[in-house]
Amino acid sequence: MPMSNVIRVVKNCNYTTLSNYHFKDKRLSWKAKGLLSTMLSLPDNWNYTIEGLAGLSDDGVKATNSGLAELEKCGYLIRKQLRDDTGRFVMMEYTIYEKSIEDGAAACSGAKATVTPKRTNGGKQGIFTVMPKSANGKTANRKSRSSIKY
C-alpha cells in the first residue's frame, strides 16, 4: 500500500489557527470549507464584501455568493442588511461562526466573530469591525479584526 507524505512548514509566521469543526462537517462543500477558512484567516484591515472575497480566487462573484449562501444554510454565517432611518440600504453585517449554530451544542458554546458596522462621513462610508465573542457572548478580544470601507 503506498504511503503519503505530508510536508509541513515551521509555523513561526504567516499561519492561522482554526477550529476543526467546519473541516469535519460533511454538509459543507470544499468551496464552503475553503471560503470559511479564508474568512477566518483574513487580516485586520480586510474588505468584507462579496467582491472583496471573490478577488481572492478566480471563482468569481456568483461562486463566492453561493459559498456564502451555503455557509448561511449550514449555520456558519449570518448576513443582515442594515438600513438607515429612511429605509435605504447602508451596509451588510456579517456574523461568522467557527462552529455551526445549527448544531445544538454549538449555539451555546461556539465562538463567533461579529462584523459590526459603524458609520462615518455622514453615512457615506461604513466601517466594519469584527469582534470575536466567547461562549458567554462577551467580547473575548477587543482588538478590531477587520475594517472595511463600503
Side-chain angles (χ1 to χ4, degrees):
M1 182 193 268
M3 295 191 56
S4 297
N5 292 321
V6 177
I7 311 299
R8 300 191 187 270
V9 298
V10 176
K11 294 170 185 73
N12 56 9
C13 67
N14 200 24
Y15 72 96
T16 302
T17 302
L18 298 173
S19 151
N20 284 325
Y21 292 115
H22 69 286
F23 292 118
K24 305 217 188 259
D25 190 337
K26 291 183 179 182
R27 299 173 303 158
L28 293 178
S29 68
W30 286 113
K31 173 173 56 176
K33 290 176 184 184
L35 182 57
L36 181 59
S37 299
T38 299
M39 292 170 72
L40 292 169
S41 74
L42 293 171
D44 291 347
N45 60 350
W46 187 251
N47 176 4
Y48 268 90
T49 61
I50 293 173
E51 293 79 10
L53 291 167
L56 294 174
S57 75
D58 63 357
D59 286 350
V61 172
K62 284 185 177 181
T64 301
N65 198 36
S66 72
L68 292 171
E70 184 179 345
L71 291 172
E72 279 183 300
K73 178 183 171 192
C74 293
Y76 289 93
L77 173 67
I78 296 175
R79 290 187 284 185
K80 180 180 174 185
Q81 289 186 353
L82 300 179
R83 301 187 178 275
D84 64 15
D85 295 337
T86 65
R88 289 182 16 214
F89 175 73
V90 178
M91 62 186 69
M92 186 70 76
E93 177 183 75
Y94 286 73
T95 304
I96 305 157
Y97 294 85
E98 286 188 77
K99 186 174 183 182
S100 173
I101 59 172
E102 297 297 315
D103 181 32
C108 298
S109 63
K112 69 178 181 178
T114 303
V115 183
T116 309
K118 296 178 183 174
R119 291 193 299 171
T120 59
N121 291 347
K124 295 179 184 172
Q125 177 182 14
I127 304 297
F128 290 76
T129 306
V130 178
M131 301 294 279
K133 302 282 184 176
S134 65
N136 65 6
K138 295 186 179 181
T139 302
N141 179 357
R142 286 256 175 233
K143 182 180 178 206
S144 170
R145 176 165 153 72
S146 179
S147 296
I148 316 162
K149 293 181 181 176
Y150 184 84

